[in-house]
mmCIF file with all atom_site columns, all heavy atoms in Angstrom:
data_model
loop_
_atom_site.group_PDB
_atom_site.id
_atom_site.type_symbol
_atom_site.label_atom_id
_atom_site.label_alt_id
_atom_site.label_comp_id
_atom_site.label_asym_id
_atom_site.label_entity_id
_atom_site.label_seq_id
_atom_site.pdbx_PDB_ins_code
_atom_site.Cartn_x
_atom_site.Cartn_y
_atom_site.Cartn_z
_atom_site.occupancy
_atom_site.B_iso_or_equiv
_atom_site.pdbx_formal_charge
_atom_site.auth_seq_id
_atom_site.auth_comp_id
_atom_site.auth_asym_id
_atom_site.auth_atom_id
_atom_site.pdbx_PDB_model_num
ATOM 1   N N   . THR A 1 205 ? 78.914 117.212 94.205 1.00 0.00 ? 205 THR A N   1
ATOM 2   C CA  . THR A 1 205 ? 79.341 116.191 93.233 1.00 0.00 ? 205 THR A CA  1
ATOM 3   C C   . THR A 1 205 ? 80.196 115.115 93.915 1.00 0.00 ? 205 THR A C   1
ATOM 4   O O   . THR A 1 205 ? 80.498 114.110 93.288 1.00 0.00 ? 205 THR A O   1
ATOM 5   C CB  . THR A 1 205 ? 80.108 116.817 92.058 1.00 0.00 ? 205 THR A CB  1
ATOM 6   O OG1 . THR A 1 205 ? 81.139 117.652 92.574 1.00 0.00 ? 205 THR A OG1 1
ATOM 7   C CG2 . THR A 1 205 ? 79.174 117.619 91.167 1.00 0.00 ? 205 THR A CG2 1
ATOM 8   N N   . THR A 1 206 ? 80.539 115.291 95.162 1.00 0.00 ? 206 THR A N   1
ATOM 9   C CA  . THR A 1 206 ? 81.148 114.194 95.925 1.00 0.00 ? 206 THR A CA  1
ATOM 10  C C   . THR A 1 206 ? 80.133 113.062 96.093 1.00 0.00 ? 206 THR A C   1
ATOM 11  O O   . THR A 1 206 ? 80.503 111.892 96.139 1.00 0.00 ? 206 THR A O   1
ATOM 12  C CB  . THR A 1 206 ? 81.583 114.702 97.325 1.00 0.00 ? 206 THR A CB  1
ATOM 13  O OG1 . THR A 1 206 ? 82.528 115.759 97.139 1.00 0.00 ? 206 THR A OG1 1
ATOM 14  C CG2 . THR A 1 206 ? 82.204 113.606 98.165 1.00 0.00 ? 206 THR A CG2 1
ATOM 15  N N   . ILE A 1 207 ? 78.861 113.409 96.154 1.00 0.00 ? 207 ILE A N   1
ATOM 16  C CA  . ILE A 1 207 ? 77.823 112.415 96.458 1.00 0.00 ? 207 ILE A CA  1
ATOM 17  C C   . ILE A 1 207 ? 77.015 111.996 95.232 1.00 0.00 ? 207 ILE A C   1
ATOM 18  O O   . ILE A 1 207 ? 76.769 110.812 95.038 1.00 0.00 ? 207 ILE A O   1
ATOM 19  C CB  . ILE A 1 207 ? 76.863 112.948 97.558 1.00 0.00 ? 207 ILE A CB  1
ATOM 20  C CG1 . ILE A 1 207 ? 77.654 113.404 98.791 1.00 0.00 ? 207 ILE A CG1 1
ATOM 21  C CG2 . ILE A 1 207 ? 75.829 111.881 97.935 1.00 0.00 ? 207 ILE A CG2 1
ATOM 22  C CD1 . ILE A 1 207 ? 78.388 112.318 99.533 1.00 0.00 ? 207 ILE A CD1 1
ATOM 23  N N   . ILE A 1 208 ? 76.556 112.951 94.427 1.00 0.00 ? 208 ILE A N   1
ATOM 24  C CA  . ILE A 1 208 ? 75.794 112.557 93.229 1.00 0.00 ? 208 ILE A CA  1
ATOM 25  C C   . ILE A 1 208 ? 76.365 113.278 92.002 1.00 0.00 ? 208 ILE A C   1
ATOM 26  O O   . ILE A 1 208 ? 76.908 114.375 92.116 1.00 0.00 ? 208 ILE A O   1
ATOM 27  C CB  . ILE A 1 208 ? 74.271 112.873 93.356 1.00 0.00 ? 208 ILE A CB  1
ATOM 28  C CG1 . ILE A 1 208 ? 74.036 114.364 93.642 1.00 0.00 ? 208 ILE A CG1 1
ATOM 29  C CG2 . ILE A 1 208 ? 73.602 111.995 94.398 1.00 0.00 ? 208 ILE A CG2 1
ATOM 30  C CD1 . ILE A 1 208 ? 72.571 114.777 93.507 1.00 0.00 ? 208 ILE A CD1 1
ATOM 31  N N   . PRO A 1 209 ? 76.221 112.668 90.817 1.00 0.00 ? 209 PRO A N   1
ATOM 32  C CA  . PRO A 1 209 ? 76.714 113.349 89.611 1.00 0.00 ? 209 PRO A CA  1
ATOM 33  C C   . PRO A 1 209 ? 75.843 114.560 89.260 1.00 0.00 ? 209 PRO A C   1
ATOM 34  O O   . PRO A 1 209 ? 74.681 114.642 89.672 1.00 0.00 ? 209 PRO A O   1
ATOM 35  C CB  . PRO A 1 209 ? 76.614 112.274 88.524 1.00 0.00 ? 209 PRO A CB  1
ATOM 36  C CG  . PRO A 1 209 ? 75.846 111.145 89.083 1.00 0.00 ? 209 PRO A CG  1
ATOM 37  C CD  . PRO A 1 209 ? 75.662 111.341 90.548 1.00 0.00 ? 209 PRO A CD  1
ATOM 38  N N   . ARG A 1 210 ? 76.425 115.465 88.470 1.00 0.00 ? 210 ARG A N   1
ATOM 39  C CA  . ARG A 1 210 ? 75.706 116.708 88.116 1.00 0.00 ? 210 ARG A CA  1
ATOM 40  C C   . ARG A 1 210 ? 74.347 116.423 87.488 1.00 0.00 ? 210 ARG A C   1
ATOM 41  O O   . ARG A 1 210 ? 73.357 117.107 87.792 1.00 0.00 ? 210 ARG A O   1
ATOM 42  C CB  . ARG A 1 210 ? 76.566 117.547 87.163 1.00 0.00 ? 210 ARG A CB  1
ATOM 43  C CG  . ARG A 1 210 ? 75.869 118.800 86.685 1.00 0.00 ? 210 ARG A CG  1
ATOM 44  C CD  . ARG A 1 210 ? 76.778 119.737 85.897 1.00 0.00 ? 210 ARG A CD  1
ATOM 45  N NE  . ARG A 1 210 ? 76.034 120.911 85.458 1.00 0.00 ? 210 ARG A NE  1
ATOM 46  C CZ  . ARG A 1 210 ? 75.510 121.051 84.236 1.00 0.00 ? 210 ARG A CZ  1
ATOM 47  N NH1 . ARG A 1 210 ? 75.681 120.099 83.340 1.00 0.00 ? 210 ARG A NH1 1
ATOM 48  N NH2 . ARG A 1 210 ? 74.842 122.136 83.912 1.00 0.00 ? 210 ARG A NH2 1
ATOM 49  N N   . GLU A 1 211 ? 74.266 115.428 86.608 1.00 0.00 ? 211 GLU A N   1
ATOM 50  C CA  . GLU A 1 211 ? 73.007 115.146 85.928 1.00 0.00 ? 211 GLU A CA  1
ATOM 51  C C   . GLU A 1 211 ? 71.906 114.835 86.947 1.00 0.00 ? 211 GLU A C   1
ATOM 52  O O   . GLU A 1 211 ? 70.765 115.264 86.806 1.00 0.00 ? 211 GLU A O   1
ATOM 53  C CB  . GLU A 1 211 ? 73.129 113.932 84.985 1.00 0.00 ? 211 GLU A CB  1
ATOM 54  C CG  . GLU A 1 211 ? 74.297 113.992 84.004 1.00 0.00 ? 211 GLU A CG  1
ATOM 55  C CD  . GLU A 1 211 ? 75.609 113.612 84.651 1.00 0.00 ? 211 GLU A CD  1
ATOM 56  O OE1 . GLU A 1 211 ? 75.772 112.439 84.991 1.00 0.00 ? 211 GLU A OE1 1
ATOM 57  O OE2 . GLU A 1 211 ? 76.478 114.501 84.822 1.00 0.00 ? 211 GLU A OE2 1
ATOM 58  N N   . LYS A 1 212 ? 72.260 114.078 87.976 1.00 0.00 ? 212 LYS A N   1
ATOM 59  C CA  . LYS A 1 212 ? 71.269 113.737 89.005 1.00 0.00 ? 212 LYS A CA  1
ATOM 60  C C   . LYS A 1 212 ? 70.902 114.985 89.809 1.00 0.00 ? 212 LYS A C   1
ATOM 61  O O   . LYS A 1 212 ? 69.735 115.176 90.169 1.00 0.00 ? 212 LYS A O   1
ATOM 62  C CB  . LYS A 1 212 ? 71.848 112.644 89.922 1.00 0.00 ? 212 LYS A CB  1
ATOM 63  C CG  . LYS A 1 212 ? 70.855 112.061 90.898 1.00 0.00 ? 212 LYS A CG  1
ATOM 64  C CD  . LYS A 1 212 ? 69.833 111.194 90.194 1.00 0.00 ? 212 LYS A CD  1
ATOM 65  C CE  . LYS A 1 212 ? 68.831 110.572 91.142 1.00 0.00 ? 212 LYS A CE  1
ATOM 66  N NZ  . LYS A 1 212 ? 67.698 109.989 90.396 1.00 0.00 ? 212 LYS A NZ  1
ATOM 67  N N   . TYR A 1 213 ? 71.913 115.805 90.100 1.00 0.00 ? 213 TYR A N   1
ATOM 68  C CA  . TYR A 1 213 ? 71.667 117.043 90.845 1.00 0.00 ? 213 TYR A CA  1
ATOM 69  C C   . TYR A 1 213 ? 70.649 117.910 90.111 1.00 0.00 ? 213 TYR A C   1
ATOM 70  O O   . TYR A 1 213 ? 69.711 118.446 90.720 1.00 0.00 ? 213 TYR A O   1
ATOM 71  C CB  . TYR A 1 213 ? 72.985 117.797 91.051 1.00 0.00 ? 213 TYR A CB  1
ATOM 72  C CG  . TYR A 1 213 ? 72.812 119.204 91.578 1.00 0.00 ? 213 TYR A CG  1
ATOM 73  C CD1 . TYR A 1 213 ? 72.297 119.430 92.854 1.00 0.00 ? 213 TYR A CD1 1
ATOM 74  C CD2 . TYR A 1 213 ? 73.142 120.315 90.797 1.00 0.00 ? 213 TYR A CD2 1
ATOM 75  C CE1 . TYR A 1 213 ? 72.116 120.728 93.334 1.00 0.00 ? 213 TYR A CE1 1
ATOM 76  C CE2 . TYR A 1 213 ? 72.969 121.606 91.266 1.00 0.00 ? 213 TYR A CE2 1
ATOM 77  C CZ  . TYR A 1 213 ? 72.453 121.817 92.534 1.00 0.00 ? 213 TYR A CZ  1
ATOM 78  O OH  . TYR A 1 213 ? 72.271 123.086 93.007 1.00 0.00 ? 213 TYR A OH  1
ATOM 79  N N   . LEU A 1 214 ? 70.836 118.042 88.804 1.00 0.00 ? 214 LEU A N   1
ATOM 80  C CA  . LEU A 1 214 ? 69.938 118.920 88.041 1.00 0.00 ? 214 LEU A CA  1
ATOM 81  C C   . LEU A 1 214 ? 68.498 118.418 88.057 1.00 0.00 ? 214 LEU A C   1
ATOM 82  O O   . LEU A 1 214 ? 67.556 119.206 87.960 1.00 0.00 ? 214 LEU A O   1
ATOM 83  C CB  . LEU A 1 214 ? 70.446 119.068 86.598 1.00 0.00 ? 214 LEU A CB  1
ATOM 84  C CG  . LEU A 1 214 ? 71.752 119.851 86.453 1.00 0.00 ? 214 LEU A CG  1
ATOM 85  C CD1 . LEU A 1 214 ? 72.219 119.872 85.004 1.00 0.00 ? 214 LEU A CD1 1
ATOM 86  C CD2 . LEU A 1 214 ? 71.620 121.277 86.987 1.00 0.00 ? 214 LEU A CD2 1
ATOM 87  N N   . GLN A 1 215 ? 68.339 117.096 88.224 1.00 0.00 ? 215 GLN A N   1
ATOM 88  C CA  . GLN A 1 215 ? 66.973 116.542 88.266 1.00 0.00 ? 215 GLN A CA  1
ATOM 89  C C   . GLN A 1 215 ? 66.372 116.559 89.676 1.00 0.00 ? 215 GLN A C   1
ATOM 90  O O   . GLN A 1 215 ? 65.197 116.252 89.845 1.00 0.00 ? 215 GLN A O   1
ATOM 91  C CB  . GLN A 1 215 ? 66.974 115.072 87.830 1.00 0.00 ? 215 GLN A CB  1
ATOM 92  C CG  . GLN A 1 215 ? 67.432 114.815 86.424 1.00 0.00 ? 215 GLN A CG  1
ATOM 93  C CD  . GLN A 1 215 ? 67.857 113.356 86.241 1.00 0.00 ? 215 GLN A CD  1
ATOM 94  O OE1 . GLN A 1 215 ? 67.711 112.532 87.142 1.00 0.00 ? 215 GLN A OE1 1
ATOM 95  N NE2 . GLN A 1 215 ? 68.382 113.055 85.086 1.00 0.00 ? 215 GLN A NE2 1
ATOM 96  N N   . SER A 1 216 ? 67.206 116.817 90.685 1.00 0.00 ? 216 SER A N   1
ATOM 97  C CA  . SER A 1 216 ? 66.722 116.623 92.054 1.00 0.00 ? 216 SER A CA  1
ATOM 98  C C   . SER A 1 216 ? 67.108 117.791 92.968 1.00 0.00 ? 216 SER A C   1
ATOM 99  O O   . SER A 1 216 ? 66.330 118.745 93.120 1.00 0.00 ? 216 SER A O   1
ATOM 100 C CB  . SER A 1 216 ? 67.268 115.293 92.606 1.00 0.00 ? 216 SER A CB  1
ATOM 101 O OG  . SER A 1 216 ? 68.683 115.248 92.481 1.00 0.00 ? 216 SER A OG  1
ATOM 102 N N   . GLY A 1 217 ? 68.292 117.749 93.562 1.00 0.00 ? 217 GLY A N   1
ATOM 103 C CA  . GLY A 1 217 ? 68.695 118.751 94.563 1.00 0.00 ? 217 GLY A CA  1
ATOM 104 C C   . GLY A 1 217 ? 68.593 120.179 94.059 1.00 0.00 ? 217 GLY A C   1
ATOM 105 O O   . GLY A 1 217 ? 68.233 121.091 94.810 1.00 0.00 ? 217 GLY A O   1
#
Side-chain angles (χ1 to χ4, degrees):
Chain A
T205 51
T206 300
I207 307 295
I208 57 169
R210 177 172 179 262
E211 309 79 69
K212 188 71 179 168
Y213 169 66
L214 291 177
Q215 298 160 5
S216 54

